[in-house]
Amino acid sequence: MNRLFHVPLSPYCRKVRLALAEKRIEVELVEERYWEQDPDFLRRNPAAKVPILRMDGRLMSESQAICEYIEETNPTPPLMPRDPADRCEVRRLVFWFDDKFHHEVTSKLLYERVNKKVTKQGYPDSKNVKYGAQRIKFHLDYMGWLLDQRRWLAGDVMTLADFTAAAHLSCLDYISDVDWNRNANVKDWYAKIKSRPAFRSLLADQVPGFPPPAHYADLDF
């Protein structure tokens, strides 16, 4: 059995979960308390990060490397376009969310509100929370601008770029930090992603001490 060592509210883990589920690859989910630096965990990944995927007799780390391995070994249904220029755009947007959005928004809201408490690292920094709440508006507006021109974020078909963005936003939606009324295009896009079978396990996630809002699992949010 394939095994994914993960944290439920990690956008990087969720990106891998979505890719696996979309391709109907069965996987056992194992929650990893990465902050405890368990020796077995460090042997699996000396970088002390999740996700870690055990698949095809090997251990893999780093979400993008994992997703590209999944894509190359299980190409149907495709999450990367065939055209090199289109693949470049997908990778650009994956990096946008995993780097820029994560730095400006996810780390400032999710990590301050949830991760600090879970890992016993103190209380939220109000300056970081305020900054993240401000910056997410820019990113939602940028997504809305993209979706004005395209059916999906990177083009006319759904790709890994959409799953990456949805992974980050779903974590933030779990703590009610996304204003879905800010942009109708973004809300419609998320509704399409949210209704996919691949999304079901994410909507069933429960983090002790942090119950999700009522709209989190509602497809008609």
Side-chain angles (χ1 to χ4, degrees):
M1 170 65 75
N2 303 315
R3 180 174 289 181
L4 181 68
F5 299 91
H6 80 122
V7 172
L9 286 187
S10 160
Y12 302 104
C13 295
R14 286 186 163 210
K15 177 172 69 169
V16 173
R17 289 170 64 186
L18 286 169
L20 288 166
E22 185 70 13
K23 293 176 181 290
R24 299 182 180 179
I25 300 172
E26 292 187 6
V27 63
E28 177 189 0
L29 298 177
V30 180
E31 287 193 37
E32 185 70 72
R33 297 171 69 87
Y34 63 88
W35 57 93
E36 294 182 352
Q37 304 284 291
D38 179 77
D40 287 338
F41 170 57
L42 294 176
R43 279 192 288 270
R44 287 191 289 268
N45 183 13
K49 296 193 297 183
V50 288
I52 302 170
L53 177 65
R54 185 188 296 277
M55 183 175 177
D56 298 335
R58 55 173 55 86
L59 283 172
M60 292 169 276
S61 57
E62 296 298 339
S63 66
Q64 190 56 24
I66 293 172
C67 286
E68 299 226 10
Y69 177 86
I70 294 169
E71 179 68 15
E72 291 174 10
T73 56
N74 298 268
T76 304
L79 291 177
M80 293 290 288
R82 297 182 64 182
D83 181 77
D86 293 340
R87 287 201 302 272
C88 181
E89 177 66 355
V90 171
R91 290 187 174 109
R92 181 187 75 84
L93 288 171
V94 166
F95 192 71
W96 175 283
F97 288 98
D98 278 349
D99 181 68
K100 184 177 177 65
F101 186 93
H102 174 263
H103 175 70
E104 296 181 358
V105 182
T106 310
S107 67
K108 301 299 188 291
L109 296 176
L110 179 70
Y111 292 8
E112 292 290 341
R113 295 191 196 277
V114 177
N115 291 36
K116 276 190 172 181
K117 181 177 180 180
V118 170
T119 60
K120 297 180 172 58
Q121 293 182 354
Y123 298 96
D125 184 323
S126 60
K127 291 182 180 178
N128 283 340
V129 172
K130 183 177 180 180
Y131 178 80
Q134 183 63 36
R135 289 304 292 167
I136 194 174
K137 298 175 183 178
F138 162 77
H139 288 276
L140 292 175
D141 290 346
Y142 178 59
M143 291 175 68
W145 179 79
L146 289 173
L147 293 166
D148 264 337
Q149 308 166 70
R150 310 165 175 178
R151 291 180 59 200
W152 298 89
L153 289 176
D156 289 333
V157 296
M158 191 192 71
T159 67
L160 189 59
D162 298 285
F163 275 171
T164 305
H168 283 267
L169 287 172
S170 65
C171 289
L172 296 171
D173 191 40
Y174 188 96
I175 55 174
S176 298
D177 268 330
V178 184
D179 178 8
W180 296 115
N181 293 320
R182 184 171 180 86
N183 189 286
N185 286 339
V186 176
K187 184 176 182 178
D188 290 345
W189 163 86
Y190 189 67
K192 288 191 296 183
I193 290 268
K194 192 176 183 179
S195 65
R196 299 187 73 81
F199 224 85
R200 289 173 185 162
S201 73
L202 272 62
L203 298 179
D205 281 344
Q206 294 282 333
V207 178
F210 295 92
H215 75 266
Y216 173 73
D218 185 358
L219 299 182
D220 296 318
F221 66 106

